[in-house]
């Protein structure tokens, strides 16, 4: 419950610090929080003692626990008697919307500023994170894979926007960032697989990385035995792959030793030339979201998407549509034959721990029918 709550607070824009009851005093001094969230995990007596220790705390306090539980009501009243600013209790089970409703009024969260964060600064300070955009089977509406996305969590501003900081080819941190993405994606994949919920994870890397066999051998040589056992896809831009198809084929042959596949990303009108072309050994083809948004009412977009599906079938690859935002587009994409879909209609990008919970539940409440 605490892990879910921490993830939900992070999603609202809070910078979350977790601690146990014994660490509360130290956390108050070090973190100086605006909000403290307490639950009756240690019983009503311990919860009351924690509230006593918070007497004089200038911020806000929120309790969570069973809905209308007598002990939770008594603890809330006790906090009010101590003069604490008590927010409405969060009754369990709860949804993220319930949390946002309680917290939205007392602390409007301003959007993070559009500040520049250098890759070297983010890498050296441990600010980089991998989030995951789920991929949903268009027929069964079950979770089939995920796309790894780079996020930067600034210690003051939280998740800063824009969230992507990809250095150009030749930048000294170009390979360092790629290595970070691969290693962390495989660590998460192994954790998912250990729980019996292994899925394919797609990692977006610039095409020049695929053209450097020394880098590929170096990175995958560091992976533990069995780490890359068919669970990783390297996604690269379609335009770059078509411009240097020999390099892609060579990289695919090298990656095949690690049972790692290649996916083509951001396919646009050039997808038509992929029909009948079998010299690109790829396992997934993903259409540009510009041709997905509004395809339910646009025949031109539908034609481009149909060409991509045909090209995927010719190559024995899965056809993927990203950025699906409404049911009309989804129904059209499913009718066209797309294998996988992703986008806000199904799930937003999420941290690894939240994806792990989604894998356990094996369903999404927002799925279209």
């Amino acid at each position: 419950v605490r892990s879910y709550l921490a993830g939900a607070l992070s999603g609202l824009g809070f910078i979350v610090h977790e601690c146990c009851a014994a660490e509360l005093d130290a956390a108050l001094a070090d973190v100086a929080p605006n909000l403290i969230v307490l639950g009756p995990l240690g019983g009503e007596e311990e919860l009351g003692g924690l509230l006593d220790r918070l007497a004089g705390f200038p911020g806000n306090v929120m309790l969570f626990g069973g809905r209308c539980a007598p002990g939770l009501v008594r603890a809330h009243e006790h906090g009010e008697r101590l003069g604490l600013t008590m927010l409405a209790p969060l009754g369990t089970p709860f949804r993220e919307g319930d949390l946002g409703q309680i917290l939205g009024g007392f602390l409007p969260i301003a959007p993070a500023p559009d500040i520049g964060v250098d890759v070297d600064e983010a890498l050296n300070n441990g600010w980089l994170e991998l989030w995951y955009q789920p991929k949903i089977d268009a027929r069964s509406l079950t979770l089939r894979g995920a796309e790894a996305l780079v996020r930067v969590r600034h210690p003051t501003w939280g998740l800063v926007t824009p969230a992507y900081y990809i250095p150009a080819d030749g930048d000294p941190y170009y390979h360092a960032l790629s290595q970070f993405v691969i290693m962390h994606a495989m660590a998460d994949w192994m954790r998912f697989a250990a729980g019996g919920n292994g899925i394919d994870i797609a990692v977006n890397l610039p095409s020049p990385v695929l053209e450097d066999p020394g880098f590929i051998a170096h990175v995958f040589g560091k992976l533990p035995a069995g780490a890359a056992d068919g669970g990783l896809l390297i996604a690269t831009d379609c335009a770059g792959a078509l411009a240097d198809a020999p390099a892609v084929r060579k990289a695919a042959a090298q990656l095949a030793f690690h049972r790692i596949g290649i996916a083509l990303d951001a396919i646009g009108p050039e997808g038509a030339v992929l029909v009948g072309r079998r010299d690109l050994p790829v396992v997934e083809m993903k259409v540009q979201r510009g041709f997905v948004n509004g395809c339910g009412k646009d025949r031109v977009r539908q034609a481009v998407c149909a060409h991509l599906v045909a090209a995927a079938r010719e190559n024995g690859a899965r056809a993927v549509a990203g950025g699906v935002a409404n049911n009309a587009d989804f129904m059209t994409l499913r009718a066209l034959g797309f294998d996988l879909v992703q986008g806000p209609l199904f799930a937003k990008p999420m941290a690894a721990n939240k994806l792990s919970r989604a894998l356990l539940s094996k369903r999404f409440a927002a799925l279209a029918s």
Side-chain angles (χ1 to χ4, degrees), residues 117-157:
V117 176
D118 294 331
V119 172
D120 57 344
E121 182 181 17
L123 281 169
N124 293 334
N125 289 285
W127 295 347
L128 291 181
E129 297 180 4
L130 278 192
W131 282 39
Y132 295 93
Q133 175 73 64
K135 293 180 180 178
I136 309 300
D137 187 291
R139 297 292 182 272
S140 65
L141 300 181
T142 54
L143 179 58
R144 294 298 186 190
E147 178 183 357
L149 305 173
V150 177
R151 292 290 188 262
V152 178
R153 186 178 297 277
H154 192 272
T156 300
W157 295 107

Side-chain angles (χ1 to χ4, degrees):
V1 173
R2 184 171 69 179
S3 176
Y4 177 82
L5 184 58
L9 287 168
S10 296
L12 290 174
F14 286 88
I15 299 174
V16 180
H17 178 90
E18 296 184 54
C19 71
C20 63
E23 301 167 337
L24 178 60
D25 294 333
L28 288 172
D30 296 340
V31 180
N34 301 110
L35 169 69
I36 293 178
V37 183
L38 300 173
L41 304 181
E44 184 179 347
E45 183 176 350
E46 180 184 86
L47 183 58
L50 290 174
L51 291 170
D52 290 335
R53 290 163 61 185
L54 289 175
F57 173 63
N60 300 267
V61 179
M62 182 179 72
L63 306 180
F64 73 90
R67 292 184 182 275
C68 301
L72 192 67
V73 174
R74 287 192 293 268
H76 183 85
E77 294 173 346
H78 179 59
E80 290 181 328
R81 288 194 296 271
L82 292 172
L84 296 171
T85 304
M86 302 295 296
L87 302 179
L90 179 65
T92 56
F94 63 89
R95 299 177 179 176
E96 291 189 19
D98 300 331
L99 186 62
Q101 186 176 4
I102 294 174
L103 299 178
F106 92 94
L107 182 62
I109 302 173
D114 187 4
I115 58 176
V117 176
D118 294 331
V119 172
D120 57 344
E121 182 181 17
L123 281 169
N124 293 334
N125 289 285
W127 295 347
L128 291 181
E129 297 180 4
L130 278 192
W131 282 39
Y132 295 93
Q133 175 73 64
K135 293 180 180 178
I136 309 300
D137 187 291
R139 297 292 182 272
S140 65
L141 300 181
T142 54
L143 179 58
R144 294 298 186 190
E147 178 183 357
L149 305 173
V150 177
R151 292 290 188 262
V152 178
R153 186 178 297 277
H154 192 272
T156 300
W157 295 107
L159 289 175
V160 296
T161 55
Y164 300 92
Y165 297 89
I166 306 300
D169 188 14
D171 187 290
Y173 286 90
Y174 179 76
H175 280 171
L177 178 60
S178 299
Q179 180 172 323
F180 169 88
V181 173
I182 293 173
M183 300 298 288
H184 280 71
M186 289 314 306
D188 289 334
W189 178 85
M190 292 183 70
R191 181 156 56 89
F192 299 152
N197 295 301
I199 58 172
D200 286 342
I201 293 179
V203 174
N204 290 278
L205 296 180
S207 55
V209 169
L210 296 179
E211 300 168 12
D212 184 352
F215 171 75
I216 293 176
H218 171 71
V219 171
F220 291 105
K222 289 186 175 183
L223 294 177
D229 190 18
L232 183 67
L233 302 178
I234 302 296
T236 189
D237 182 78
C238 178
L242 290 175
D244 196 358
V248 174
R249 289 195 296 270
K250 184 176 180 180
Q254 186 176 13
L255 292 171
F257 288 104
H258 302 280
R259 299 184 65 188
I260 294 171
I262 291 182
L264 291 184
D265 194 22
I267 302 176
E270 69 274 12
V273 306
L274 295 172
V275 178
R277 182 172 179 175
R278 302 183 180 181
D279 60 332
L280 291 175
V282 297
V283 297
E284 278 189 4
M285 294 184 176
K286 181 179 176 182
V287 69
Q288 287 180 4
R289 68 173 55 210
F291 293 100
V292 170
N293 296 331
C295 71
K297 299 180 180 180
D298 190 316
R299 293 189 179 276
V300 174
R301 289 185 171 91
Q302 290 176 22
V304 173
C305 291
H307 278 302
L308 172 65
V309 173
R313 295 290 180 270
E314 287 274 347
N315 287 271
R318 296 184 291 266
V320 184
V324 183
N326 60 70
N327 196 62
D329 289 347
F330 166 63
M331 297 302 291
T332 299
L333 294 165
R334 184 163 69 174
L336 289 172
F338 276 88
D339 302 292
L340 301 174
V341 290
Q342 59 183 142
L345 178 64
F346 305 99
K348 297 178 181 179
M350 59 185 68
N353 60 345
K354 189 170 182 180
L355 178 62
S356 180
R357 290 193 297 270
L359 287 168
L360 291 173
S361 66
K362 298 186 183 301
R363 62 186 178 91
F364 287 85
L367 289 180
S369 60

